[in-house]
Amino acid sequence: GVLRLMFSDCQVPVNLGSTEMIDMIGFAKLAMSFESKDLPIKHIEGPTGVRGRNSNNKLIMEKLGWEPKISIKEGLGKTYFWIK
């Protein structure tokens, strides 16, 4: 997505994220799963916001014909083990 965007004439901001919905606790558990960790997750009370995040990729699909090809799990796993 980044390369397609860089070499395009697209002049508007677009989302490159996943359309998969995930909340922060789910994301933390997913990250820990790569090493079979079961660490405590401390929820800190704060303002109520959205329950999860995902990306609306309608514009990048319209402008560049692009959409993510791998899941959050696969992408985070590749990133995790690359950093490790």
Side-chain angles (χ1 to χ4, degrees):
V2 172
L3 290 175
R4 174 124 6 138
L5 184 59
M6 285 175 43
F7 294 108
S8 76
D9 61 355
C10 184
Q11 298 293 314
V12 296
V14 294
N15 291 324
L16 288 168
S18 173
T19 58
E20 293 176 76
M21 178 67 79
I22 191 165
D23 63 20
M24 292 309 295
I25 291 175
F27 195 78
K29 287 179 179 180
L30 178 60
M32 288 188 286
S33 75
F34 298 122
E35 296 287 348
S36 300
K37 300 284 184 182
D38 188 21
L39 303 172
I41 297 173
K42 182 178 179 182
H43 177 74
I44 300 171
E45 291 297 327
T48 302
V50 297
R51 296 280 179 214
R53 296 270 182 211
N54 67 333
S55 179
N56 180 342
N57 291 358
K58 182 180 175 187
L59 187 58
I60 196 165
M61 186 60 158
E62 288 175 5
K63 297 285 186 183
L64 304 178
W66 182 88
E67 63 185 345
K69 301 287 189 248
I70 63 171
S71 67
I72 290 174
K73 182 177 183 176
E74 184 181 351
L76 183 60
K78 286 181 178 186
T79 303
Y80 175 82
F81 290 108
W82 176 76
I83 291 170
K84 186 178 176 185

